[in-house]
Amino acid sequence: MKTFNIQPDRQPISPEEINARKKFNSLLKQYQTKVNVSKPAYKTTIVKGVAVLTTITVITTVSVWSYRSNSHAEKTSAQSRTEQVSVKKPEQVKKPVKKSVVAPPIKGVTVKRNAYTINASKGGTVRHNTGTKLVFPKNAFADKNGKDVNGDVEIKYREFHDLADIIVSGIPMRYDSAGKMYHFESAGMMEVLGFKGDEQVFIKPGKNVLVHMASANGESRFNLYSLDTVSGKWEYKGKDKVTRNADNTRAFGDRSENKITKELFDKEAGMTGVDSEKLEIQNSSASAAPVKPRKAGSSKYRFDIDFDKTEFPELGNFDGLQFEVDEKQEKFNPSVFKVEWEDIELLQANKSGDTYRVRVKKGKHSAEFDAYPVVEGKNYSHAMDEYAKKFDAYKKEVEKRKEKDRLKKEELEAKLALYKKERAKVLEKENQTDLAEIGYGNSSLTYLRVFQISGFGIWNCDNPLRYPTGRNIMARFVDEKGNQVRIPNNLYLVEDGRNAIFSFPAPAGNIKEFRYDPKKENMVWGINENGELITLERKELNAVPGNAKEYTFNMKKCDAELKTVGDVRKYFGLIKDEKS
Amino acid sequence: MQSAAGISQENLKVISRYHKTEVEMLAEYEIILQAKTDPGKFSTLYDTYYEPIFRFVYQRMDDKEKAFDITSQVFLKALTNLHRYEFKGVPFASWLYRIARSEVYQQFRQNKASRTVNLESVHLNQLTEELEENNLEEYRVKMLKALKELEEEDITLVEMRFFEKRPFKEIGEILEITENNAKVKLYRVLDKLKRKLLKHKTVPDE
């Protein structure tokens, strides 16, 4: 059966003509559109009934911040800071617990957490054995439902300073900045978690923890980042400040075993108490101003919501309160008003409190838009009168507080000066301590990196780096038998003298562009498909001929028994002789 | 410029992009893995295979603009479905060719059109030589007639082997059959062609 035509000797087409039609950006745009369109969105809802939302009566429960329930310890970490999700009904919390990206690569080897106790109502200071201090303000904790936590809270803390710490931690050290991939060089990293019994607790919005983290690096080129352990993304949080760590002699040892006098401990406790109080002043200064009423009529989309006034006290005094849609927002699609939605939620939208996020739902479909509260007619005049009174009272209260804070600060500064003087005297005696006896490997934590954190999780003082330069070859990695090694996660390159880990995705054991600096002492390591540590001997990288474009490297399976971070440190040659 | 094998240098370059050493294939797979999470990384593959895929599509149709459209569709489909791609030890191109083949046939089905087999005279001569026929000019017309009578599946094999100069291994990978099966099938088609040519020898041209 003839299903084709035969055409001989057609005019040939040149490669130039073909390649001139390449449009990758256009392809990418089409792809993104396609991907976005395939996601369910309220725009695709089939609307049966048409009703305007103006008179829908809805019971609205509002989220303040509620948190996913997490059990203790290893579920861990930064699943906390990213968890400010709203909860309307208990069943809405039934989301699967997402897996943390933090996966220690060497079974059974990890940096241990130290546990400390803080009184939630009074606040207090955690003092780690490296000289790190964490100053918690009073009333800083909330549980997963957003309720204040009282009584003792257990703080679990650990920190990571050298390559061995970072390697065993399994914390990803890649940083995506506007689509460009970087690799972190760390000046110190820490994980801090809070628990009340077995339940994880959270730091309340507006409360900050003052951190003085011990560090071996005093350079100012490092930034502060926090890790979202679910997405694996680092978020830039600003810069830290660097000071000397007067307490560095106690690096990495049990404080009680070191030659620390009780006298010094007491003086320091006094100082950090002052820090805590100062911080409390900073935190308490921010008092919310009353919301100024807006006159109805600037938007054609207006509706009522019957909400729980105890959840929104700032709206409680407005009679005849309605909401108008902020039509300027890009997200708003007027077709949302053509749907008879089954459910509506009112959420706090912005810090100034004048705009609220409204979420509507019907079946699987939902939409969100911003709206602001309005009143009209006599109600507006009445609301303005109320506002003027409240604003006046607010101004007076602010002035009063400012004066009180100023006096308190003066008093604290004087106390601090006294403590410092006394502490210096004690330190003079303490300086007799043998540094080598209790030091941290070859590096001492001579500095303190000072910053504030707004939540529990993993925080890192980092400098983003690109891949090393010098050599760029196509690399193939094989095992002792010459078989290609399979590496489910990344292959890592580390250089002596630089606290950085460069990651290369190489699931099939190949790296098309393996970049390294041949002038450095490099190490390569990874975990194979059987979960075994494989490494490349340092001499292997040095053996690559200068003109090689491709090279096959023989990875060696680790035959040493690695039980502690110290073992790892020794195995990688990061320390020559350590008592661990 | 034509090579000794009767295929233009440009086409040789294009076809050679298919052939990969194991290391090259695995290196390509690394790019695919990266592109699965970062679609921007797909640009390397797009650059490498745009021309071969276009030529594959255009070989099977007359309309150049339509061929460019289909080529774009092939890459869009590939990128959209990249998360499903699994490395099976064959070049990534074979997956792209399969998508291209499917897109081309879908186009014909939609338009109720027949596909085209484009060939150069030199390819026809080689095919005639393969059939151990010496009088090329005499058989040219008869060969065209015989080819037109083949089933679609058969002409595809002839086209890939003689007009596109693909090795059996690659033909097998694109058609999802073994290399040996591709060989056996093609020799059966050549037998069929021979028989048809014999028939045309005895039946005068209309």
Side-chain angles (χ1 to χ4, degrees), chain A residues 506-565:
Chain A
N510 292 283
I511 298 170
K512 194 179 179 190
E513 292 186 346
F514 180 56
R515 295 168 190 269
Y516 67 98
D517 183 351
K519 291 176 192 158
K520 298 269 174 68
E521 278 281 310
N522 295 288
M523 289 178 290
V524 176
W525 68 278
I527 301 294
N528 69 13
E529 60 187 337
N530 301 322
E532 297 158 324
L533 174 66
I534 49 173
T535 56
L536 188 64
E537 290 190 0
R538 290 171 188 233
K539 62 182 181 189
E540 279 254 9
L541 271 173
N542 298 334
V544 180
N547 57 353
K549 298 266 187 262
E550 287 186 26
Y551 197 81
T552 300
F553 293 101
N554 298 299
M555 299 295 286
K556 194 182 149 199
K557 213 184 285 179
C558 169
D559 49 8
E561 198 177 3
L562 304 178
K563 286 184 172 174
T564 66
V565 186

Side-chain angles (χ1 to χ4, degrees), chain B residues 139-173:
Chain B
Y139 278 97
R140 181 185 156 85
V141 179
K142 291 188 174 83
M143 180 64 85
L144 283 173
K145 220 171 196 179
L147 284 173
K148 277 184 185 176
E149 288 172 3
L150 288 178
E151 295 293 329
E152 213 291 315
E153 188 190 357
D154 294 343
I155 193 73
T156 297
L157 281 164
V158 173
E159 181 180 47
M160 284 184 166
R161 180 66 183 157
F162 291 98
F163 309 154
E164 294 180 317
K165 298 288 172 194
R166 295 182 193 277
F168 283 112
K169 190 172 185 298
E170 185 181 333
I171 294 172
E173 284 161 6

Side-chain angles (χ1 to χ4, degrees), chain A residues 1-19 21-24 27-28 30-32 34-35 179 474-476 484 486 505-512 550 552, chain B residues 10 22-23 26-27 30-31 33-34 39-40 42-43 46-47 50-51 54-55 58-59 61-62 64-65 68 72 75-76 79-80 114-121 144 147-148 150-152 155:
Chain A
M1 190 179 70
K2 185 190 158 197
T3 54
F4 51 87
N5 306 310
I6 292 184
Q7 185 178 308
D9 295 320
R10 182 171 63 180
Q11 183 71 25
I13 181 166
S14 71
E16 290 75 23
E17 187 181 349
I18 298 170
N19 289 316
R21 301 289 289 267
K22 281 183 186 172
K23 285 172 189 162
F24 183 70
L27 173 76
L28 210 53
Q30 284 181 62
Y31 165 74
Q32 278 153 357
K34 200 168 178 178
V35 169
M474 181 184 277
R476 183 168 177 253
Q484 198 95 4
R486 305 275 168 186
N510 292 283
I511 298 170
K512 194 179 179 190
E550 287 186 26
T552 300
Chain B
E10 289 304 341
E22 193 191 358
V23 171
L26 291 169
E30 303 286 1
I31 299 171
L33 289 176
Q34 290 172 29
F42 192 71
S43 66
Y46 180 80
D47 276 342
Y50 186 86
E51 189 180 340
F54 170 78
R55 288 193 186 278
Y58 190 39
Q59 162 67 27
M61 59 200 316
D62 293 329
K64 200 196 293 180
E65 286 308 311
F68 276 119
S72 300
F75 282 100
L76 182 60
L79 186 54
T80 313
S114 301
R115 89 164 178 93
T116 303
V117 177
N118 283 288
L119 55 86
E120 293 172 32
S121 292
L144 283 173
L147 284 173
K148 277 184 185 176
L150 288 178
E151 295 293 329
E152 213 291 315
I155 193 73

Side-chain angles (χ1 to χ4, degrees), chain A residues 350-508:
Chain A
N350 65 1
K351 282 181 185 172
S352 58
D354 56 356
T355 308
Y356 293 77
R357 174 62 50 88
V358 178
R359 185 183 295 157
V360 284
K361 285 181 186 172
K362 182 175 186 177
K364 289 178 183 174
H365 302 286
S366 65
E368 283 188 16
F369 53 87
D370 290 344
Y372 44 79
V374 294
V375 276
E376 60 182 342
K378 281 181 187 173
N379 287 331
Y380 177 71
S381 309
H382 177 68
M384 279 304 283
D385 291 345
E386 282 294 311
Y387 169 74
K389 278 183 209 164
K390 277 188 179 175
F391 192 73
D392 205 37
Y394 168 75
K395 274 201 299 189
K396 280 178 189 163
E397 189 198 322
V398 168
E399 288 304 319
K400 210 169 155 186
R401 175 167 285 191
K402 271 185 185 171
E403 180 57 18
K404 196 178 157 192
D405 286 353
R406 191 185 63 78
L407 292 171
K408 183 75 180 167
K409 267 185 185 171
E410 275 179 12
E411 184 193 330
L412 290 173
E413 292 294 345
K415 262 190 192 176
L416 194 61
L418 186 64
Y419 280 129
K420 276 182 179 170
K421 208 173 166 183
E422 290 178 354
R423 185 174 182 273
K425 281 183 198 167
V426 180
L427 270 176
E428 207 170 323
K429 277 193 271 173
E430 181 58 27
N431 275 344
Q432 308 306 317
T433 309
D434 183 359
L435 301 187
E437 203 178 299
I438 49 178
Y440 176 73
N442 292 332
S443 62
S444 52
L445 304 173
T446 325
Y447 302 95
L448 286 174
R449 308 201 74 97
V450 184
F451 49 90
Q452 290 196 14
I453 60 173
S454 55
F456 287 123
I458 296 171
W459 296 78
N460 200 351
C461 296
D462 279 310
N463 178 35
L465 303 170
R466 299 308 297 260
Y467 280 123
T469 51
R471 293 299 302 272
N472 181 0
I473 54 170
M474 181 184 277
R476 183 168 177 253
F477 297 87
V478 297
D479 61 17
E480 287 96 336
K481 291 176 185 166
N483 297 324
Q484 198 95 4
V485 289
R486 305 275 168 186
I487 305 157
N489 293 310
N490 293 315
L491 204 62
Y492 303 100
L493 170 78
V494 292
E495 295 174 345
D496 260 3
R498 190 145 74 154
N499 226 15
I501 293 189
F502 300 95
S503 315
F504 294 87

Side-chain angles (χ1 to χ4, degrees), chain A residues 99-170:
Chain A
K99 205 178 165 188
S100 168
V101 293
V102 178
I106 305 170
K107 204 177 170 188
V109 184
T110 185
V111 176
K112 289 190 175 106
R113 297 182 179 92
N114 282 26
Y116 303 91
T117 303
I118 290 283
N119 183 291
S121 311
K122 293 178 185 169
T125 301
V126 162
R127 304 183 53 79
H128 195 54
N129 51 26
T130 54
T132 295
K133 288 184 297 190
L134 296 104
V135 184
F136 289 86
K138 60 186 178 186
N139 301 318
F141 306 108
D143 67 12
K144 64 184 179 186
N145 299 313
K147 286 185 181 164
D148 280 6
V149 170
N150 298 312
D152 285 348
V153 166
E154 187 179 47
I155 302 296
K156 291 201 168 183
Y157 180 79
R158 58 179 177 162
E159 54 193 39
F160 313 88
H161 291 288
D162 71 351
L163 284 170
D165 288 343
I166 298 170
I167 288 169
V168 302
S169 73

